[in-house]
């Protein structure tokens, strides 16, 4: 299930040293927030991973298949009223694969840090 334009929307993207930054807006009314967790909604970690995948796929206009995540550190909860920025750095394409470092943040607050690897589908 795609999350883009339903669970979240891209507000803007900009090039940064060695990658790009993507500002997003979460849909606080989405069904996921009603079950995770009622009365105190939190963005599921798997949704943040899927968001990163969809943002990368759109940015590079390639279908990506998630292969591996490492050094995934959840540092702060992402509430549905946040507008998290996904910062992609150290992005490399080689031999039909893509690897990148991702930081999900807003201002001085870092929510998640992760290293991701994908296969590029034909």
């Amino acid at each position: 299930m795609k999350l883009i334009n339903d669970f979240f929307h891209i507000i803007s993207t900009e090039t940064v040293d060695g990658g790009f930054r993507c500002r997003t807006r979460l849909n606080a009314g989405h069904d996921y927030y009603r079950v995770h967790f009622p009365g105190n909604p939190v963005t599921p970690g798997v949704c943040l991973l899927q968001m990163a995948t969809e943002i990368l796929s759109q940015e590079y206009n390639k279908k990506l298949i998630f292969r591996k995540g490492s050094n995934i550190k959840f540092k702060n909860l992402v509430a549905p009223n946040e507008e998290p920025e996904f910062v992609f750095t150290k992005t490399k394409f080689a031999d039909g694969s893509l690897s990148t470092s991702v930081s999900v943040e807003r201002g001085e607050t870092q929510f998640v840090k992760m290293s991701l690897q994908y296969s590029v589908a034909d």
Side-chain angles (χ1 to χ4, degrees):
M1 177 180 176
K2 290 215 173 216
L3 299 180
I4 198 165
N5 299 325
D6 181 28
F7 182 75
F8 78 101
H9 298 275
I10 293 175
I11 297 170
S12 64
T13 58
E14 66 178 305
T15 302
V16 295
D17 249 356
F20 70 99
R21 175 183 300 269
C22 181
R23 192 165 146 240
T24 64
R25 177 173 294 124
L26 300 171
N27 175 2
H30 198 278
D31 287 341
Y32 288 170
Y33 289 119
R34 288 192 202 128
V35 296
H36 198 268
F37 296 97
N40 190 22
V42 175
T43 304
V46 71
C47 289
L48 294 168
L49 176 62
Q50 181 65 22
M51 288 172 68
T53 302
E54 292 181 24
I55 292 166
L56 283 165
S57 290
Q58 181 170 301
E59 180 70 14
Y60 295 113
N61 197 28
K62 297 189 181 298
K63 182 175 179 182
L64 301 174
I65 300 166
F66 176 74
R67 293 294 180 209
K68 182 180 177 184
S70 59
N71 298 320
I72 300 175
K73 296 182 177 132
F74 294 92
K75 297 180 171 191
N76 289 290
L77 299 175
V78 181
N81 61 338
E82 295 288 349
E83 289 187 357
E85 293 183 345
F86 286 71
V87 182
F88 299 89
T89 57
K90 301 178 188 170
T91 302
K92 297 177 189 171
F93 285 96
D95 301 323
S97 66
L98 176 145
S99 62
T100 188
S101 294
V102 185
S103 176
V104 182
E105 54 195 48
R106 182 163 185 211
E108 298 296 316
T109 303
Q110 185 178 55
F111 300 109
V112 182
K113 184 177 179 181
M114 52 191 161
S115 297
L116 306 176
Q117 295 178 357
Y118 297 89
S119 293
V120 178
D122 294 330

